[in-house]
Amino acid sequence: MTIALEDQPLVTASDEVSAASISRARDILRRNDPRRLAPNTTRDVRLAGSDLEALLNFAARRGIRGAASLDLRQGGADVRYTATLPRLLADLGVGRFVNVEASLGASGGSQIDIEQVRIGRIPLPGALFEALLAQYIRHTDLAPEVALLKRTISKVAITPADVTVTYVWQPELLDSARNLALSPADQQRLAAAQRLFVDTLGHAAPGSRKVALADVLGPLLQQASQQPGADRAQAYRDVLLVAALHLSGRNISVLIPDATRWPKPRPVTLTLRERGDLAQHFVISAAIAAQAGAPLAKAIGLDKEIDDAQRGSGFSFVDLAADRAGTRLGQLAARSPERLAAAVAAGLTDAALLPPIDGLPEHMMADEFRRRFGSPEAPAYRQMSDEIDRRIAALALFR
């Protein structure tokens, strides 16, 4: 066993997610929107190596924390992965890193062959590893989804620059994705979170069409954490997801078809510092950060502002401040739920959630943004970005 564990990681984690990667992913999803695809439609999806590596790292951060790297070559790829185990193992002198190296090959068909694998200092023939992996999948809930995926993908082509997957769209894929994303237990928790959100919204300023976000978010988080047997961090994730779907104008039935029969929240606009758009930015970023981590939430927020500068309402540092403050709350919910619970119990206000926004430029179209701030890597932009971070750090909730 000890030869499978090592003292040094093969891959070190990078939490950075670029706005460009988010933009490319959004374009891929837009071009392959399942609502617009007829059954048996053949489509190609091309993923750049860097985007595929980012996707692998996103998956690696779920469950046992890990990091992955990917090198593409003609007809194949080399994948490296490191899983980080509890520090207790290092204290025992065993080693706390599981390092995996795998060489993959694509012969032009739908099959990706595992050519060779090394786990720590243990080499494994590719055929043996494939057999063990198939045996494992056969005894898990993943078996039907893997079988469906094999029937759907007709070709995989790998070049040093990208991977192109040719697939035949089947409507069952959407149900399969939902089943993988949300287990029955997940769906029960979200149903409870939806009821809690509807009740909380119903009791906040009855009769009013506008309600301050803090007047809803505070009681919602407090009640969520007090549910019998609740995992506080998970309860926070659930109610933030439900609230984010509501604020984004998406019905939760996009994730759970049965949710069409769940209670519906009354029509009301939630505001942050008297603005509905800032409440949207804050809660959606909080939900993303709680579910998937701060780097993804920040990248999505920046991508949204860059897109707005091109063809929307213009780049807004005010919106970016709401994104980042929401991201900080999402981090608290996931990583320090006890601390967030104490803050919620003491009472939340709009001023506690978002710092003053005076002096932050907004409504800048692309030309004005480039003239004043250059790019997200330019000093002028960095200065404004640091100012936003400074204001947020000054809030008692995020110290």
Side-chain angles (χ1 to χ4, degrees):
M1 175 65 180
T2 55
I3 61 174
L5 301 178
E6 299 184 288
D7 296 327
Q8 298 297 322
L10 181 65
V11 185
T12 54
S14 173
D15 285 339
E16 291 300 317
V17 181
S18 71
S21 291
I22 296 298
S23 180
R24 288 192 294 270
R26 185 179 59 190
D27 288 341
I28 289 171
L29 291 173
R30 188 179 291 147
R31 291 196 303 270
N32 294 272
D33 188 335
R35 295 169 298 182
R36 301 175 183 173
L37 296 181
N40 299 315
T41 301
T42 299
R43 301 297 291 267
D44 289 336
V45 175
R46 180 171 295 170
L47 292 168
S50 57
D51 294 337
L52 195 53
E53 183 175 272
L55 184 61
L56 286 173
N57 273 290
F58 175 72
R61 284 195 289 268
R62 313 293 285 179
I64 297 176
R65 185 169 178 81
S69 68
L70 174 73
D71 289 320
L72 299 180
R73 48 186 165 78
Q74 193 64 39
D78 297 314
V79 180
R80 288 167 294 279
Y81 170 76
T82 294
T84 304
L85 302 179
R87 187 173 295 277
L88 173 63
L89 294 175
D91 295 338
L92 294 174
V94 176
R96 62 186 297 240
F97 300 104
V98 179
N99 293 318
V100 180
E101 298 177 79
S103 293
L104 311 178
S107 57
S110 62
Q111 184 71 32
I112 294 181
D113 299 316
I114 301 176
E115 297 170 346
Q116 58 184 13
V117 175
R118 178 179 291 273
I119 303 176
R121 285 168 284 166
I122 305 173
L124 292 176
L128 174 60
F129 187 83
E130 283 187 347
L132 293 173
L133 183 61
Q135 187 70 15
Y136 168 76
I137 290 173
R138 193 174 295 119
H139 292 88
T140 69
D141 294 337
L142 293 174
E145 278 73 21
V146 171
L148 176 60
L149 207 56
K150 286 182 176 180
R151 295 198 306 270
T152 301
I153 296 176
S154 60
K155 184 179 179 182
V156 178
I158 304 177
T159 73
D162 53 41
V163 175
T164 301
V165 177
T166 303
Y167 70 96
V168 180
W169 172 250
Q170 302 293 340
E172 308 97 279
L173 279 172
L174 195 54
D175 291 334
S176 176
R178 287 186 180 121
N179 291 335
L180 282 175
L182 295 171
S183 68
D186 294 331
Q187 295 185 33
Q188 289 178 4
R189 287 198 329 270
L190 288 172
Q194 174 80 357
R195 290 193 296 271
L196 195 58
F197 179 68
V198 170
D199 290 344
T200 305
L201 206 56
H203 288 96
S208 175
R209 299 300 298 269
K210 288 188 177 182
V211 180
L213 176 63
D215 292 343
V216 172
L217 192 59
L220 181 64
L221 293 172
Q222 188 166 29
Q223 292 178 58
S225 68
Q226 293 173 350
Q227 299 301 300
D231 174 316
R232 184 167 274 164
Q234 186 60 63
Y236 287 158
R237 291 189 188 98
D238 292 339
V239 293
L240 286 173
L241 177 58
V242 166
L245 286 169
H246 172 74
L247 279 163
S248 67
R250 307 277 182 178
N251 193 292
I252 198 170
S253 61
V254 300
L255 298 177
I256 307 170
D258 286 347
T260 54
R261 297 191 292 269
W262 293 0
K264 305 290 191 302
R266 70 183 176 93
V268 63
T269 299
L270 295 178
T271 64
L272 181 57
R273 289 195 175 268
E274 300 185 350
R275 286 175 51 168
D277 61 327
L278 298 187
Q280 288 179 321
H281 280 270
F282 184 96
V283 174
I284 291 171
S285 293
I288 294 170
Q291 296 285 342
L296 184 63
K298 290 180 179 178
I300 289 174
L302 177 57
D303 172 65
K304 171 67 166 59
E305 292 312 311
I306 291 173
D307 187 64
D308 281 347
Q310 298 292 336
R311 53 181 174 267
S313 57
F315 192 103
S316 170
F317 282 106
V318 174
D319 290 350
L320 206 60
D323 288 331
R324 291 189 181 178
T327 296
R328 291 291 297 275
L329 184 109
Q331 286 180 290
L332 271 181
R335 298 180 184 178
S336 306
E338 303 303 324
R339 185 176 153 209
L340 179 57
V344 168
L348 291 181
T349 63
D350 273 14
L353 297 174
L354 183 66
I357 56 176
D358 53 291
L360 298 179
E362 55 181 336
H363 307 309
M364 292 178 289
M365 301 311 291
D367 288 344
E368 182 185 358
F369 175 78
R370 282 192 294 268
R371 178 175 57 80
R372 296 180 62 181
F373 296 98
S375 73
E377 289 75 39
Y381 178 92
R382 290 292 182 189
Q383 184 177 2
M384 188 61 66
S385 175
D386 290 344
E387 171 61 16
I388 289 172
D389 289 340
R390 184 194 65 77
R391 294 187 189 191
I392 293 172
L395 296 178
L397 182 61
F398 303 128
R399 286 177 194 156

